[in-house]
Amino acid sequence: MLALRLLEKDNSHTDRIQLQDIKTPEPKENEVLIQMQTAALNRRDQWIREGLYPGIRPATLGSDGCGIVVKTGKNAEKWESKTVIINPNNNWGDDERHQSADYHILGMPTDGTFAEFLCVNQDRLVLKPKSLSLEEAAALPLAGLTAFRSAFYHGGIQKGSKVLISGAGGGVAQFAFQFAVAAGAKVFVTSGDDEKLERLEEMGAAGIVNYKDPDWNKQLKDKAGSFDCAIDSAGGETFAEIIKLLGRSGRIVFYGATLGLPQKIDLYRMFFNQIRIQGSTMGSDKEFVEMVNFVEKHKIKPIIGSITPFSDIISAFDTMKDGEGFGKLVVSMR
Amino acid sequence: MLALRLLEKDNSHTDRIQLQDIKTPEPKENEVLIQMQTAALNRRDQWIREGLYPGIRPATLGSDGCGIVVKTGKNAEKWESKTVIINPNNNWGDDERHQSADYHILGMPTDGTFAEFLCVNQDRLVLKPKSLSLEEAAALPLAGLTAFRSAFYHGGIQKGSKVLISGAGGGVAQFAFQFAVAAGAKVFVTSGDDEKLERLEEMGAAGIVNYKDPDWNKQLKDKAGSFDCAIDSAGGETFAEIIKLLGRSGRIVFYGATLGLPQKIDLYRMFFNQIRIQGSTMGSDKEFVEMVNFVEKHKIKPIIGSITPFSDIISAFDTMKDGEGFGKLVVSMR
């Protein structure tokens, strides 16, 4: 079968990812063999390609995917012929508050979704909701889970909450935006791209602001007053400014910090207003199931940026490297 | 009656606080007149004296106190002759998460506890626990409430939690220490004063570290591994170091920032480990009652630094200004 492999680092190849013909795996007890139909890229995949991830070793990449069960190991027979989404968590553990020490994400170190076939334990499977196409289903797992935990478990977003999603054009941020809107929150967004902002407004944003405007923070204050919750993945100097936009017992939840470490956070304002800064990553297995149910219930359609044939997957990585467009980069094995 | 008044700022006096003979107030409907027995100082009082507090205007100072009800207004008769602690909150409001916009603390703008008599609404009264002396009861309100919310509502401290109290010689920190120990947590403390550290060890600290040691953070790591919760009021550079000592889903709760704003908080470590930074101030009316009950149930004895006659209260302010000793500065009207 064809699989996108991360190679050993030995300086003999200029690119560490390569499509290779490898042996199709066999499902063991409690495992299923999935014929992958679709998969999707995350920044994580490109970071691994660039060597910017801890514990890198050869593996088939890919955390997101959707496929059809074509063979089952002992005790997994009930999944035969089902169309499934794969939970990318491995070993989250029993504590809802955080992942265990053995936690890892599907697709390095264990073999992932960028392959024609994949074997996983049946406890990683969730039936694909009928409301989603195969492409939409593949777009969901990693980014959807991260957004779901940020928005609800940590963010406490509910009907009527005033929410700020910064950099709302990004993969996780789009889901956070869609989830918060579906929950009945009043959602304001920032992006550096006016076209993305217009799209988000059409999708239900209560207010849009281009963060390249020097007075972006004042614009948000004028539009919203103050926020109950902000969701961010940029960090940097804007982080401290967003904290100033939070009302009493406001929260900023973040799952990334692409602009680096923030300087001079105003602790005085924070303690007087009982403000919280909350780090978040991925989500529990329980949340994964809840997230898929939420998407089905609210008929949420993941935003697809492009669909690339699996044979051309490296070009999708290059697109990711060049800067994200609007919507998930999906690859199709069909 | 004698009361410690904050004067108008008019440059005619070198000190803005002065003992003055003023009219004894009369209890209105739902109010009681309390003959104050004891009161206690907080940093807030000295900050107000120095003009370092927002919205300063003439008033009788003092947030902490204990006294005997000597006269009751209509509908407040049941408090007659009771010995009571006064809840220093005014207008916390209905939301447990944060204080209302009208919130203020007893003792500027409204007249406070540094007086021979005080009128308050009966809904501010809690019976003095029998386990506390009049002096211990006066030491409790503001610092105890702040510590209680930090430790439990925000800190989530429970039996078995590994807790760090930094600057544990301070007024609020001492209560946080005592509450966490009483709750069955394993409590580690830092202070810049070895004598205070020894006292805290006698009182049940699981480990003590002098923060003036250059390797204080390494010492804590060696002793505790990682912490579930840290309670801090210093901020500054140590804040970022304390965050590094937190384990997964660890929390740092802070109610002050005497060393100023922190630089370069490690957001990467925070989101991967689902770490929380939580600001906290004071506590709700519900928490005030819970706190007094907790103190009675666990036979917690507030630490008294000194007891000064009320006539000499300005010297207690000077002691506060010079740097806190170990234990609360109590004044006695008896």
Side-chain angles (χ1 to χ4, degrees):
Chain A
M1 69 168 196
L2 217 52
L4 185 78
R5 299 289 298 175
L6 180 79
L7 309 178
E8 284 284 3
K9 189 175 185 179
D10 65 359
N11 300 320
S12 70
H13 34 74
T14 51
D15 195 340
R16 286 189 69 182
I17 54 173
Q18 200 175 91
L19 277 173
Q20 292 185 336
D21 195 15
I22 63 168
K23 194 166 173 288
T24 303
E26 270 294 311
K28 301 192 194 73
E29 187 171 349
N30 287 315
E31 287 186 347
V32 300
L33 181 71
I34 302 166
Q35 183 168 20
M36 297 305 298
Q37 300 296 303
T38 48
L41 274 72
N42 290 290
R43 288 224 161 274
R44 179 182 190 270
D45 304 308
Q46 175 61 24
W47 286 331
I48 292 173
R49 180 196 194 185
E50 294 176 31
L52 304 172
Y53 207 83
I56 287 183
R57 60 186 173 86
T60 299
L61 296 186
S63 308
D64 286 349
C66 179
I68 297 164
V69 175
V70 290
K71 195 171 180 183
T72 56
K74 202 178 152 188
N75 297 330
E77 293 80 5
K78 68 169 180 172
W79 292 98
E80 188 63 47
S81 304
K82 302 289 192 217
T83 304
V84 293
I85 301 179
I86 301 146
N87 175 349
N89 281 337
N90 283 308
N91 307 327
W92 176 278
D94 297 329
D95 196 330
E96 284 297 304
R97 295 174 304 169
H98 60 257
Q99 71 276 36
S100 75
D102 297 330
Y103 179 73
H104 61 268
I105 296 170
L106 180 69
M108 216 293 293
T110 50
D111 287 339
T113 58
F114 297 157
E116 290 177 307
F117 295 92
L118 170 64
C119 264
V120 295
N121 194 296
Q122 61 178 336
D123 66 7
R124 301 299 86 196
L125 304 179
V126 174
L127 288 176
K128 181 187 79 65
K130 291 202 171 29
S131 61
L132 298 183
S133 69
L134 290 167
E135 288 75 16
E136 289 164 345
L140 193 58
L142 193 150
L145 181 59
T146 305
F148 194 78
R149 182 172 181 84
S150 292
F152 301 121
Y153 182 86
H154 285 311
I157 292 171
Q158 53 192 18
K159 192 168 156 58
S161 299
K162 271 196 288 183
V163 175
L164 171 63
I165 314 277
S166 55
V172 177
Q174 284 173 9
F175 282 112
F177 168 76
Q178 290 178 290
F179 294 168
V181 169
K186 214 172 165 191
V187 189
F188 299 75
V189 295
T190 66
S191 167
D193 181 328
D194 285 331
E195 272 183 50
K196 288 185 185 178
L197 287 169
E198 280 166 32
R199 285 282 300 276
L200 292 163
E201 195 164 38
E202 287 162 18
M203 292 170 68
I208 58 173
V209 173
N210 191 313
Y211 60 63
K212 289 176 181 166
D213 292 347
D215 67 341
W216 63 273
N217 45 358
K218 188 179 172 301
Q219 288 183 44
L220 283 169
K221 199 181 166 72
D222 291 346
K223 282 177 201 281
S226 64
F227 294 95
D228 301 308
C229 177
I231 296 184
D232 182 75
S233 68
E237 277 183 46
T238 56
F239 198 82
E241 291 303 316
I242 291 172
I243 290 171
K244 291 184 192 158
L245 295 169
L246 297 174
R248 288 206 177 157
S249 65
R251 304 168 180 194
I252 180 167
V253 183
F254 67 101
Y255 53 87
T258 47
L259 298 181
L261 304 179
Q263 306 280 328
K264 293 201 182 178
I265 285 176
D266 186 349
L267 292 190
Y268 302 101
R269 192 173 187 289
M270 274 189 72
F271 74 75
F272 185 74
N273 290 297
Q274 321 234 10
I275 283 170
R276 176 182 302 181
I277 300 175
Q278 177 70 56
S280 187
T281 194
M282 299 297 288
S284 70
D285 291 343
K286 179 168 162 279
E287 285 172 304
F288 187 79
V289 174
E290 287 170 0
M291 184 271 290
V292 176
N293 289 343
F294 184 90
V295 165
E296 184 164 26
K297 179 182 171 194
H298 292 281
K299 301 278 175 286
I300 291 168
K301 293 287 194 181
I303 306 164
I304 308 291
S306 65
I307 303 171
T308 305
F310 181 46
S311 58
D312 206 17
I313 186 171
I314 291 176
S315 76
F317 271 76
D318 293 339
T319 302
M320 175 68 85
K321 189 182 177 180
D322 291 344
E324 225 161 349
F326 193 73
K328 294 289 291 182
L329 304 176
V330 172
V331 294
S332 174
M333 290 77 170
R334 296 200 286 166
Chain B
M1 69 169 195
L2 217 52
L4 185 78
R5 299 290 297 174
L6 180 79
L7 308 178
E8 284 284 3
K9 189 174 185 178
D10 65 0
N11 300 322
S12 69
H13 35 74
T14 51
D15 195 340
R16 285 189 69 183
I17 54 173
Q18 201 174 92
L19 276 174
Q20 292 186 336
D21 194 17
I22 63 169
K23 192 165 175 290
T24 301
E26 270 294 312
K28 302 192 192 74
E29 187 171 350
N30 287 315
E31 287 185 348
V32 300
L33 181 71
I34 301 166
Q35 183 168 20
M36 299 303 299
Q37 302 295 303
T38 48
L41 274 72
N42 290 290
R43 288 224 163 273
R44 177 181 191 271
D45 304 307
Q46 175 61 24
W47 286 330
I48 291 173
R49 181 195 194 187
E50 294 176 32
L52 304 173
Y53 207 85
I56 287 183
R57 59 186 175 87
T60 299
L61 298 187
S63 308
D64 287 348
C66 179
I68 297 165
V69 175
V70 290
K71 196 170 181 183
T72 58
K74 200 177 155 191
N75 297 330
E77 294 80 5
K78 68 169 181 173
W79 292 99
E80 187 64 47
S81 303
K82 302 288 191 216
T83 304
V84 293
I85 302 179
I86 302 145
N87 175 349
N89 281 337
N90 283 308
N91 307 328
W92 176 277
D94 296 329
D95 196 329
E96 284 296 306
R97 294 174 304 168
H98 59 258
Q99 70 277 36
S100 75
D102 298 329
Y103 179 74
H104 61 267
I105 296 170
L106 179 69
M108 215 294 291
T110 51
D111 288 338
T113 58
F114 297 156
E116 290 177 306
F117 295 92
L118 171 64
C119 264
V120 295
N121 193 296
Q122 61 178 337
D123 66 6
R124 300 298 87 197
L125 305 180
V126 174
L127 288 176
K128 180 187 81 63
K130 291 202 170 29
S131 60
L132 297 183
S133 70
L134 290 167
E135 289 75 15
E136 290 164 345
L140 194 57
L142 192 149
L145 181 58
T146 305
F148 195 78
R149 183 172 180 83
S150 292
F152 300 122
Y153 183 84
H154 284 311
I157 291 172
Q158 53 191 18
K159 191 170 157 59
S161 298
K162 270 196 288 183
V163 175
L164 171 62
I165 314 277
S166 55
V172 178
Q174 284 173 8
F175 281 112
F177 168 75
Q178 291 179 289
F179 293 169
V181 169
K186 213 172 164 188
V187 189
F188 298 76
V189 295
T190 67
S191 168
D193 181 328
D194 285 330
E195 271 182 51
K196 288 185 186 178
L197 287 170
E198 280 167 31
R199 285 282 299 275
L200 292 163
E201 195 165 38
E202 287 163 18
M203 292 170 68
I208 58 173
V209 172
N210 192 313
Y211 60 62
K212 290 177 180 165
D213 292 346
D215 67 339
W216 64 272
N217 46 357
K218 189 180 171 300
Q219 287 183 44
L220 283 169
K221 199 180 166 73
D222 291 345
K223 282 178 201 285
S226 66
F227 293 97
D228 301 309
C229 176
I231 296 184
D232 181 76
S233 69
E237 277 183 45
T238 56
F239 198 82
E241 291 302 316
I242 291 172
I243 291 170
K244 292 184 192 158
L245 295 170
L246 297 174
R248 287 204 177 158
S249 67
R251 304 168 180 195
I252 180 166
V253 182
F254 66 102
Y255 53 87
T258 47
L259 298 181
L261 304 179
Q263 307 280 329
K264 294 201 182 180
I265 286 176
D266 185 349
L267 291 190
Y268 301 101
R269 193 174 184 287
M270 275 188 72
F271 74 75
F272 185 75
N273 290 297
Q274 320 235 11
I275 283 171
R276 176 182 303 179
I277 300 176
Q278 177 69 57
S280 187
T281 195
M282 298 298 288
S284 70
D285 292 343
K286 180 168 162 280
E287 285 173 303
F288 188 78
V289 174
E290 288 170 359
M291 184 271 291
V292 176
N293 289 343
F294 184 89
V295 165
E296 183 163 29
K297 180 182 170 194
H298 292 282
K299 302 279 177 284
I300 291 168
K301 293 286 193 180
I303 305 165
I304 308 291
S306 64
I307 303 171
T308 305
F310 181 47
S311 58
D312 205 17
I313 185 171
I314 292 175
S315 76
F317 272 77
D318 292 338
T319 303
M320 175 69 85
K321 189 182 178 181
D322 291 343
E324 224 162 349
F326 194 74
K328 294 289 290 182
L329 302 176
V330 172
V331 294
S332 175
M333 289 77 171
R334 295 202 284 166

